[in-house]
Amino acid sequence: HEGFLLRKHELDGAGKKASNRSWVNLYCVLAKGDLGFYKDAKGPAAGATHGGEPLLSLHRAASEVANDYKKKKNVFKLKTSDGSEFLLQAKDEEDMQGWLRALAAS
Ligand code: I3P
């Protein structure tokens, strides 16, 4: 599963507010239990993630619609096992549900 999502890093580890909190449009690729963030669709082949970030392990990660976030629509939340939290905005409801299904299955 892959495509562009707008991403905001909320928590960087349990309870710790992320320092860079701005929304950034990233090409997201879910494969083999990991989520990678890239600048564009050519990123995965080049292996160069956005900012050189490591792939995000989805092992014991949880995702859900971000009902408490009201500023944007079609936003879901991804929490990883180390307590990091990301808000991700899909382009519409269908796109969001596709991501949530893919994340739940990984
Ligand atoms: C952040 C940016 C985000 C905003 C965040 C700001 O500033 O404006 O859009 O989140 O607010 O810190 P910057 O771009 O200078 O890093 P929202 O869009 O959710 O308001 P926050 O720190 O209250 O999360």
Side-chain angles (χ1 to χ4, degrees):
H1 202 86
E2 57 187 77
F4 278 101
L5 291 171
L6 209 55
R7 185 190 81 173
K8 180 186 177 191
H9 196 177
E10 279 279 18
L11 297 179
D12 187 13
K16 184 170 171 272
K17 268 195 160 194
S19 48
N20 184 351
R21 317 185 49 74
S22 39
W23 288 94
V24 45
N25 194 35
L26 296 171
Y27 193 77
C28 308
V29 179
L30 196 171
K32 296 176 186 159
D34 290 321
L35 185 60
F37 296 102
Y38 305 89
K39 184 163 76 82
D40 56 35
K42 285 180 260 172
T49 62
H50 166 73
E53 294 175 6
L55 299 179
L56 207 61
S57 169
L58 296 175
H59 182 66
R60 298 201 170 171
S63 45
E64 61 182 10
V65 176
N67 286 313
D68 55 342
Y69 190 81
K70 311 283 188 195
K71 295 181 187 174
K72 293 181 188 295
K73 290 172 78 172
N74 307 309
V75 175
F76 60 98
K77 191 180 288 193
L78 173 65
K79 299 181 191 188
T80 58
S81 61
D82 66 356
S84 281
E85 192 177 304
F86 295 89
L87 290 177
L88 298 158
Q89 185 188 34
K91 68 175 189 294
D92 54 27
E93 171 77 21
E94 189 188 349
D95 186 31
M96 178 171 74
Q97 292 303 337
W99 275 105
L100 288 172
R101 272 195 302 274
L103 286 163
S106 72

